[in-house]
Amino acid sequence: MNANNADHAEDSRRVIATSLVDTFRAAYGADPSGVWSAPGRVNLIGEHTDYNHGLCLPVAIPRRTFVAARRRADRQIRIASIQVPGEERTVSLDTIAQGSAGGWAAYSAGVLWALEQAGHAIGGLDVVVDGRVPLGSGLSSSAALECATAAAAVDLFELRGLDDESGRRRLVAACIRAENEIAGAPTGGMDQSAALLSAPDTALLLDFDGDHPPHRVPFELTARGLEVLVMNTRAAHALGDGQYGNRRQECETAVRELGVPSLRAIAPVDLDTTLARLSSDVLRRRVRHVVTEIARVVDAVAALESGELDRLTGIFDASHASMRDDYEISCAELDLAVDTARATGALAARMTGGGFGGSAIAVIETARREEIRSAVERAFEAARFREPELFTITADGPAAREL
Ligand code: GLA
């Protein structure tokens, strides 16, 4: 990231945080004790691998969710959001359970519940949210809200969770519990790890086979004249609606049929003989995706670490095809975004995140940005799809206090 961009990013974070203080005051009649934020993410590669004890490689993005918060004397959590005006929610820490927090508020209230479950002394909070990670974009708006809330809670209840990596990893675990058990979305841990553990100009290599610290991979493309274009298709994407959970269950079925501890345990060289032991073609395709995708993460990290970025072309192509054909999580809009970007000269492109709508990413030459953007816009218009939201990103830092 060059200095100007960095300054600009800092400025706008401060501007957003300062204006959220005003919103909080107008909503609750008092100043918040602070403002915290957490980033959304794109995943460079390694999709649907986290809950299979595999590898993935997310990058935090400069679109962040901000929360202004203040402690209450009771055990109520009162939450309002700039993005859903007039929908203030109040939940008691004593009654919170799956479904009780109601929709988006569960992601915030669930974190306080999970921190209390982990043995921390937690009380009520007043919270106002400004979510700048587009909702339903597959860019982890949910995890950004959870992790911004966690950052606020650790400061306000003096839990010291943001000070070091082990504290942050404890927060990751609490945010995952909130999402799985209170919001009811059976996701893995990639998004929460990205939001709490990322660092500027790096991608985060996460290994979910056991409790490993993240490995940071340099990810600074500007010097090479390259950048990452995010293509939010605005096609519907929701992880609580069954399709995501269905894929996860299919993987669990395959694990049972194969008698392995996880799909991570299958070595790529044993893939064909392993697939032959599965009971259906669908399971064979699901397992093939997971095993080959984990291997592609290793290849992508090697390409980034050696600076041989041209190798990303084939790795991303194979990843997108695997998600489209074997894991069946792409859709017409994602395929069109990826195909158009590649046909217009993107170095590499693939869908990112949970799928079934949401966003794709492309590694592009900065010099070709406008050409590729307008080709994707024209292709969406011709296909009569919703207008996509296109923007470039740099690798951003983790959840932090803003004010
Ligand atoms: C969503 C989930 C993650 C991960 C991705 C797919 O973002 O929240 O845990 O499974 O989908 O890679």
Side-chain angles (χ1 to χ4, degrees), residues 67-126:
V67 304
R70 177 189 170 96
R71 280 175 73 157
R72 292 173 60 99
D74 59 16
R75 287 175 51 78
Q76 303 289 310
I77 306 158
R78 183 165 56 155
I79 311 172
S81 165
I82 289 183
Q83 280 69 36
V84 273
E87 281 198 42
E88 185 183 301
R89 307 282 166 98
T90 302
V91 200
S92 166
L93 265 173
D94 295 318
T95 57
I96 186 167
Q98 186 169 342
S100 67
W104 60 273
Y107 294 96
S108 194
V111 170
L112 298 168
W113 170 87
L115 288 170
E116 191 166 74
Q117 293 286 310
H120 299 297
I122 294 289
L125 278 188
D126 282 336

Side-chain angles (χ1 to χ4, degrees), residues 120-151:
H120 299 297
I122 294 289
L125 278 188
D126 282 336
V127 179
V128 177
V129 179
D130 187 356
R132 301 293 180 106
V133 184
L135 286 180
S137 59
L139 301 173
S140 282
S141 54
S142 318
L145 175 54
E146 290 154 10
C147 297
T149 306

Side-chain angles (χ1 to χ4, degrees), residues 254-266 274 277:
V255 160
R256 275 195 305 276
E257 287 191 9
L258 295 169
V260 288
S262 71
L263 298 186
R264 174 70 180 282
I266 304 167
T274 307
R277 290 165 44 214

Side-chain angles (χ1 to χ4, degrees), residues 227-262:
E227 61 189 17
V228 174
L229 176 69
V230 178
M231 302 179 281
N232 173 11
T233 64
R234 300 188 211 253
H237 158 95
L239 297 181
D241 74 352
Q243 288 275 41
Y244 182 97
N246 166 282
R247 293 298 180 283
R248 192 165 177 161
Q249 275 166 14
E250 288 169 338
C251 292
E252 284 161 13
T253 304
V255 160
R256 275 195 305 276
E257 287 191 9
L258 295 169
V260 288
S262 71

Side-chain angles (χ1 to χ4, degrees), residues 41 43 45-51 56 138-140 143 179 185-192 208 237 239 244 248 293 323 329 350-355:
R41 61 100 191 90
N43 186 22
I45 195 152
E47 231 62 82
H48 288 257
T49 50
D50 53 359
Y51 56 81
C56 56
L139 301 173
S140 282
E179 176 143 342
T187 51
M190 168 171 73
D191 308 339
Q192 295 77 8
F208 285 90
H237 158 95
L239 297 181
Y244 182 97
R248 192 165 177 161
E293 182 78 351
M323 293 186 285
I329 54 173
R350 62 186 288 281
M351 59 148 274
T352 189

